[in-house]
Amino acid sequence: MGSVPGGRVRLPGGGRGRVGGFLLDLRPVTNEEYRRYAARTGARLPDWTWRPGFDLPEQPVVGVSLDEARRFARWAGKRLPSLREWMRAARADTRLPYPWGEAHPHPPFAHFGRGARGAPAPVEPMDRAAGRGPFGHMDLAGNVWEWTAGGELLGGFWGSSDPRLDLLLEEPPDRLSAGIGFRCAF
């Protein structure tokens, strides 16, 4: 987990807010972490954890509903971040379109635009250290959409053409997708 200092935050759509300091996972929850949780609690493993291209231990787990993400977070002694917290970690109080600044995303920064090119699936975050957010968090743009405590999905995913921070996806809380994962806060 990495520390995110409290302060002001710009929200998707132009609103502003304030958050207190908190801790946030440096990367999305992985298949390996979710497998440990499932083994200890009897939770169901997402279907994608068995599919080639989605099954590597350090890849973000995908195909997890909002309630499943919340249960994992509770089991881990954590919680899901709020929309404001997630956005604070991704861009602090700036209007920057990406966690790393204004530069259009490309492979050293984010994993995106893969759906149409035949290379679907999230990848391990360590390959894109240049794309870290202002407080050191990886993959806040691209790789997987991430659930927040309020059920919003942020960050885009591996199939997004441009994973800008102003993108906010609203899906039913039981939505299972190969493009949806999560990270935890404390």
Side-chain angles (χ1 to χ4, degrees):
M1 297 192 94
S3 179
V4 179
R8 293 169 32 171
V9 61
R10 292 188 187 269
L11 302 170
R16 293 183 70 146
R18 215 172 160 71
V19 297
F22 64 100
L23 297 172
L24 185 68
D25 287 343
L26 290 172
R27 54 159 173 66
V29 172
T30 66
N31 283 326
E32 181 59 33
E33 291 166 327
Y34 205 86
R35 283 184 182 118
R36 279 196 304 266
Y37 157 72
R40 292 184 179 139
T41 65
R44 180 190 69 78
L45 283 173
D47 292 340
W48 281 276
T49 58
W50 309 109
R51 296 183 186 179
F54 291 87
D55 59 345
L56 297 176
E58 292 303 312
Q59 282 177 298
V61 66
V62 295
V64 177
S65 72
L66 177 58
D67 285 340
E68 290 168 335
R70 286 177 176 152
R71 284 192 288 273
F72 173 93
R74 274 192 304 273
W75 171 82
K78 302 176 187 180
R79 59 182 172 76
L80 294 182
S82 70
L83 169 72
R84 289 177 182 203
E85 288 171 332
W86 195 99
M87 290 302 296
R88 173 80 179 156
R91 70 173 171 203
D93 186 30
T94 69
R95 290 187 174 133
L96 294 174
Y98 308 105
W100 55 85
E102 292 183 359
H104 188 75
H106 57 284
F109 292 99
H111 181 61
F112 71 104
R114 303 294 178 176
R117 295 202 300 258
V123 295
E124 297 175 10
M126 298 305 176
D127 297 336
R128 291 167 310 286
R132 290 177 191 235
F135 307 110
H137 299 82
M138 296 177 280
D139 281 345
L140 290 164
N143 216 14
V144 294
W145 287 104
E146 296 182 20
W147 286 115
T148 64
E152 304 90 354
L153 290 159
L154 296 167
F157 80 117
W158 49 263
S160 298
S161 61
D162 186 4
R164 301 176 70 85
L165 293 176
D166 280 338
L167 296 177
L168 183 132
L169 182 64
E170 294 188 31
E171 291 283 346
D174 59 349
R175 173 83 162 129
L176 305 178
S177 168
I180 297 176
F182 68 100
R183 73 179 73 212
C184 298
F186 184 80

